[in-house]
Amino acid sequence: MRTHYRVVIVGAGTGGISVAARLLREQHHLRGEILLIDPEMKHYYQPLWTLVGAGAAKKEESEREMASLIPSGAKWLQDKVIGFHSANNQVETEHNGTIQYDYLVVASGIEIDWGRIKGLESALGTKQVCSNYSYEHVDYTWDTLRGFEGGTALFTHPASPVKCGGAPQKIMYMAEDYFVKTGVRSNSKIVFGSANPAIFDVAKYREALEKVLERKRIDTHFRVNLIEIKADDKVAVFEQLDGGETFEVHYDMIHVTPPMQAPAFIRESELADAGGWVDVDMYTLQHKQYKNVFGLGDCTNLPTSKTGAAIRKQAPVVAKNVIDLMYGRVPVASYDGYSSCPIVTGYNKLILAEFDYEKVPQESMPFNQAKERHSMYILKKDFLPVMYWNGMLKGTM
Amino acid sequence: MNEQTLESALTRPDVERALVSLVERLPEIERSLRRLEDAVDFGVATVNDQQVRQKIDTLLDESNVQIETLEAALKLAEKLPMLLQVTNQLERVLAFAEDVYTDEQTRELIGQRVDEYVSPVKEKADATRTMLTEIRARAERDDRHITLFSLVRWLKEPSVQHGLKYMQATVEVLSEQTKT
């Protein structure tokens, strides 16, 4: 088996495939010189799962065979990376030994730590404990919403970075809308328990979302973290993040956003910062210590929201800087922290939040995106998946 | 560079290796220089040849290349960076469109979405058509005379009442606006 490639990309998710496609579009001589390493057979368009959990899309639409998405000219090694030897320009795989690289791109995504919430793993998918963060269980969210006959519907946001920070509240807004349609809203209470200090980081969208919360009469508890689920008793145990006291909330259904972290093989490597994330320059996305290593996406320590939209802006920067480095030029392409969150606020409404490192709105549309709009909902539901599969993963968008 | 510095530089292994390599390549460098010299001589001789110059003048006179053509070429060259950007964007758009067109799963997805939007409209249109057909059929079948009593009975129909209330409200609003 070949053991040296000019570019090795760890992770064939959104970031890895986008960068590979862009490198190949720009530099045809790299055909056969790019290796993507990823153990998964399937690739998921996870932004759709909010709609799947609310019964507005089919989960099968979010899944494709990994082999069908690997860009022509790149090779795919179906294996797990278990370590890095960055001083020797090597990655270590579980079954195929070490692979040598000239340039390394780390885009391995984020890992869900279901076990950090006591009682969650065993209860998930049963007893009205649901979560949109798993392809296997996302249907159960819809089953739970359909079966809800009133009482307390509890939604949580953990005390860790998460992929798409808006997703925990999106499913809550859709659930509320659904309960209104089915007539159970009047005898139910909706509660949001979030580790964050406010509903959203960016002032403009925070103000808009606070109005949504008020209109929908949602009870919010900020700076609280779910630590245990007693599924048989339908009780959720939270801890106060400012003080440490714990308290219990009875629920009739609970949607859990699980805690997340960088994958272990990154956390325990020399590429990680103190928090376990790939330690890259926030503008050039080049590793702070190993100059032939770049990182993008959820596994990095970039101080912005971890979203696919952010990766759409990071991928061209990484591709350009890798090419510049190959030709002996100083990498100067720069990422401004752009991220976007299409916050679904009902079955046909959406606030399209777009912002940068400074939390300043960077809106693409010629109108106020803080307003709930049907057009933006159509954009998310019908257009963004096509843009993803056929534009972003092909290196053209 | 003083003598001592030159001496220390010459004793450096990398400089020594470079000098040896240079000396080894001297015959090749000499041959290249001769070829360059020949090419320059040929160029000078060609430019000085009266017959060649006349031929070039004739060619230019008889061609469509005018001074405007050269000016346009220069202006076009100035715009090349912008044109390259536009071409790149166009290339990306075409690549995206081609990928959408050739991707069976995406075509299937678009088809489903179009159905989702079209189906309710189609169902509504079908229902309206069925209703109109039924109305027409009943009207054609009905040979009763419409009497004043029938009209009074209609007035009790909720749908007629609803329509009349709208008419009443419209008359009131129009009347108020006319007064102001």
Side-chain angles (χ1 to χ4, degrees), chain A residues 142-173:
Chain A
W142 178 224
D143 292 343
T144 306
L145 295 191
R146 278 188 300 177
F148 186 71
E149 292 172 341
T152 300
L154 179 58
F155 298 83
T156 69
H157 186 130
S160 78
V162 293
K163 43 183 156 188
C164 189
Q169 52 187 294
K170 293 178 197 174
I171 185 62
M172 175 175 69
Y173 299 140

Side-chain angles (χ1 to χ4, degrees), chain B residues 10-26:
Chain B
L10 286 170
T11 54
R12 271 170 45 197
D14 56 335
V15 176
E16 196 179 332
R17 276 199 302 277
L19 276 174
V20 170
S21 164
L22 200 62
V23 170
E24 281 174 353
R25 291 173 58 201
L26 267 179

Side-chain angles (χ1 to χ4, degrees), chain A residues 258-275:
Chain A
M260 301 178 202
Q261 60 191 358
F265 70 91
I266 288 177
R267 289 201 312 270
E268 291 152 12
S269 79
E270 67 273 21
L271 296 180
D273 68 358

Side-chain angles (χ1 to χ4, degrees), chain B residues 1 7 12 26 32 35 42 60 76 78 84 111 116 120 154-155 157:
Chain B
M1 188 185 285
E7 193 180 326
R12 271 170 45 197
L26 267 179
S32 301
R35 280 200 292 273
F42 171 74
L60 281 175
L76 205 58
E78 282 172 17
L84 179 67
E116 277 175 31
W154 284 359
L155 284 175
E157 287 287 324

